[in-house]
């Protein structure tokens, strides 16, 4: 897990809705769109976010993602 991962999850947690990668990148300082595009598949593979094909790329945090933010999951176990 990276600082970018935490920032992505925190934003998704705060907004409470599915949003596209462009909106994620726009709303997180110091995290580029290419970083967002690289990290989202890794977060999805760890079941921390759910991504939708339609609308394309929209992403929301999962219950497991909420558990990670709450400190109920160890980030080293997710890699």
């Amino acid at each position: 897990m990276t600082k970018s991962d935490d920032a992505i999850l925190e934003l998704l947690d705060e907004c409470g809705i599915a949003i596209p990668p462009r909106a994620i990148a726009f709303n997180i300082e110091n995290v580029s769109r290419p970083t967002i595009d690289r990290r989202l598949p890794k977060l999805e593979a760890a079941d921390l976010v759910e991504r939708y094909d339609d609308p394309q790329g929209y992403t929301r945090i999962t219950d497991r993602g909420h558990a990670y933010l709450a400190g109920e999951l160890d980030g080293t176990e997710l890699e």
Side-chain angles (χ1 to χ4, degrees):
M1 296 296 291
T2 68
K3 289 181 182 181
S4 297
D5 295 339
D6 289 346
I8 293 166
L9 292 171
E10 288 167 4
L11 176 68
L12 292 171
D13 182 49
E14 289 171 13
C15 72
I17 59 172
I19 59 175
R22 176 182 290 188
I24 295 170
F26 180 81
N27 287 288
I28 300 176
E29 290 184 28
N30 302 320
V31 179
S32 68
R33 174 66 193 269
T35 298
I36 300 292
D37 291 340
R38 254 192 338 271
R39 297 309 301 168
L40 285 177
K42 294 179 186 306
L43 293 171
E44 183 179 31
D47 194 31
L48 299 175
V49 301
E50 182 176 9
R51 300 180 74 201
Y52 300 92
D53 292 330
D54 188 24
Q56 185 176 358
Y58 275 62
T59 304
R60 72 169 183 88
I61 191 168
T62 63
D63 290 339
R64 185 174 164 97
H66 290 293
Y68 168 76
L69 289 178
E72 298 169 8
L73 294 174
D74 184 358
T76 59
E77 296 174 10
L78 300 174
E79 294 286 330

